[in-house]
Amino acid sequence: MKMTIIGCSGSFPGPGSPASCYLVTAFDGERTWRILLDLGSGALGVLQRYMDLEDIDAIFLSHLHPDHCMDICGLHVAVHWNPNGWNRDRITVWGPEATADRMATAYGLELDPGMHEDFDFNHWVPRQEVKLGPFTVSAVPVRHPVEEAYAIRVEATEPLQDGTTRTSVLAYSGDTDSCDGLVEAAHDADMFLCEAAFEEGRDDGIDGVHLTGKRAGEMATAAGAKRLLLTHIPVWTDVNTVVDEAKTTYDGGLAIAVSGVTYGVWSGDRLGEPKDRPAPRDPFRP
C-alpha cells in the first residue's frame, strides 16, 4: 500500500498545500486500486498531477467540514459536464449520512437529484467494514464539533512474489481531540496519519476540536502505531513545535506530512519497512 499526500494544510489551503486529501493505492494481483481519504478545499487540482480522475475507485470522507470534502463539488463538474463524457460508473462516496444533501446545497442544486447522477453516496455505519478491491475500510466515531466525525482505518491485502499475501494498515484520524475511538482506529497501524493542529499552551482552553503534537503522540503510543505522520497543521502552527511535542510522548518513527510526498505503508518493523519479503509489484510503476 502506498499513500501520496495531495493536501495536508489544516483548516484551509496554505501556500504550499491544499487542504486534506490523501491518495491511497494498493495492488490486488490484477490492477492498482486508487481511493481518496477526504477531498478538501483545493485538492482536486493537485490530485490531477498524480492520476486521471476517471481512475478514482472510491472516496472516503471523515466528516463534512469544507477543508475535508468541498472539492466534491468540483469533481461533480468534472463528472457531469465533461464534453467527452464520463467513461466510468458513478464514483462511490462513503461519508456521514448528510453528505449527499450537503454537497447539493453547497453547489446550489435541488436535493433531488442533487449529485446522485454522478456519485453513489453511502453513509458510514460505525465499525462496519467496507470491502473494495484489496481494501477493507472502516470508520470509528471520534471527537470533533460536527454531527458525525470519524477516524478511518484502511487495511490492504496484497499478493507477494512468493505466492503469499501481506496486510498493511493505515489509520487516518480525520479531525479529532483525544478519544478512545481514535486509539481503536489506529490500533497496531503500520502508519498513523494523525492531525496535530493545536499547540500546547496556546490552545489549552479549547476542548474537543483538535489534537496537539503531544496528544497525537499519546494517541499513537496508546494505539501501538509503528509510524506517526503528523498532518492538518494550519499555517499559524509551527511544525517544529508540533514535532517537539510529539517526541515527548511517542518514540517511534515520526515525520510531518508534506504535499507531494509518497509513503510506503508496509507491515514490518518499527520503521514500517518490510522485514524479509519484497514489496508487491505495482505494474503502474517502474
Side-chain angles (χ1 to χ4, degrees), residues 14 23 31 51 61 73 86 157 181 198 215 247 260 277 279 286:
L23 168 61
R31 72 171 179 94
M51 66 175 297
L61 300 177
C73 289
W86 183 256
T157 300
F198 282 174
R215 297 203 293 270
K247 286 179 178 178
R277 293 178 175 174

Side-chain angles (χ1 to χ4, degrees), residues 3-8 16-18 46 49-50 257-263:
M3 177 184 62
T4 299
I5 310 297
I6 303 301
C8 54
S17 174
V46 174
R49 299 176 188 171
Y50 301 94
V258 176
S259 180
V261 176
T262 296
Y263 292 87

Side-chain angles (χ1 to χ4, degrees), residues 128-153:
Q128 180 173 297
E129 294 182 343
V130 176
K131 294 187 181 295
L132 180 73
F135 295 111
T136 300
V137 185
S138 57
V140 181
V142 291
R143 197 158 66 101
H144 193 60
V146 291
E147 187 172 351
E148 290 183 66
Y150 298 96
I152 300 174
R153 183 179 178 91

Side-chain angles (χ1 to χ4, degrees), residues 73-121:
C73 289
L75 185 56
H76 153 71
V77 175
V79 174
H80 200 86
W81 295 107
N82 186 335
N84 297 314
W86 183 256
N87 299 311
R88 291 284 302 270
D89 294 334
R90 292 183 301 162
I91 298 175
T92 300
V93 178
W94 285 85
E97 187 170 4
T99 300
D101 288 355
R102 184 73 59 83
M103 294 299 98
T105 299
Y107 202 77
L109 300 174
E110 297 292 335
L111 300 186
D112 185 11
M115 297 182 184
H116 288 279
E117 295 174 337
D118 310 308
F119 300 107
D120 177 15
F121 290 104

